[in-house]
Amino acid sequence: MDDHGDDFSVWVGDGQPDPFAYRTEEDWAAIAGYVRHSANKLGQPLPLCLPGEPQACGRSSRQHVMAWGAELKARAQRVIEDAAPSPAHATYASGPLYQHHLATLRQPRA
């Protein structure tokens, strides 16, 4: 996978406040590893290109979290489509059901 979302700053610009500044590079590397592992379970293996790995590409762990998160989301969509007995079922699972789960995840924990 060569696409690591390098053109993202063109869309939003630089200088935006960083809501995740509390995460360290090590935190992002662990998350990237988890996301890659999950994506690998659903398709072709992603490269070992995190900082310090044999095929290091020079991008940060945080950039990998975003790029591989997008890859995981696409692979999950494909799983939904393959499992759905009809296009309507796939639309429901990837639309309203997905939005419900996302809203639940966004709620602050008590």
Side-chain angles (χ1 to χ4, degrees):
M1 180 177 100
D2 295 328
D3 183 4
H4 284 59
D6 293 357
D7 61 349
F8 183 72
S9 62
V10 173
W11 292 4
V12 297
D14 292 323
Q16 299 291 328
D18 187 354
F20 297 103
Y22 60 89
R23 291 204 171 129
T24 66
E25 180 63 17
E26 292 78 24
D27 294 337
W28 287 117
I31 294 168
Y34 299 147
V35 172
R36 177 175 58 194
H37 181 75
S38 298
N40 286 348
K41 295 290 186 180
L42 299 176
Q44 294 293 336
L46 294 172
L48 298 174
C49 64
L50 285 170
E53 291 183 337
Q55 302 165 8
C57 65
R59 293 163 181 100
S60 70
S61 296
R62 186 177 182 174
Q63 186 71 26
H64 285 88
V65 168
M66 292 188 300
W68 289 345
E71 179 74 23
L72 178 59
K73 186 175 179 179
R75 291 180 185 197
Q77 177 63 34
R78 186 67 183 149
V79 167
I80 290 169
E81 292 169 358
D82 287 345
S86 72
H89 285 89
T91 298
Y92 173 76
S94 60
L97 186 58
Y98 168 81
Q99 290 299 326
H100 168 75
H101 290 306
L102 184 59
T104 300
L105 290 171
R106 287 179 173 160
Q107 290 176 358
R109 294 187 177 145

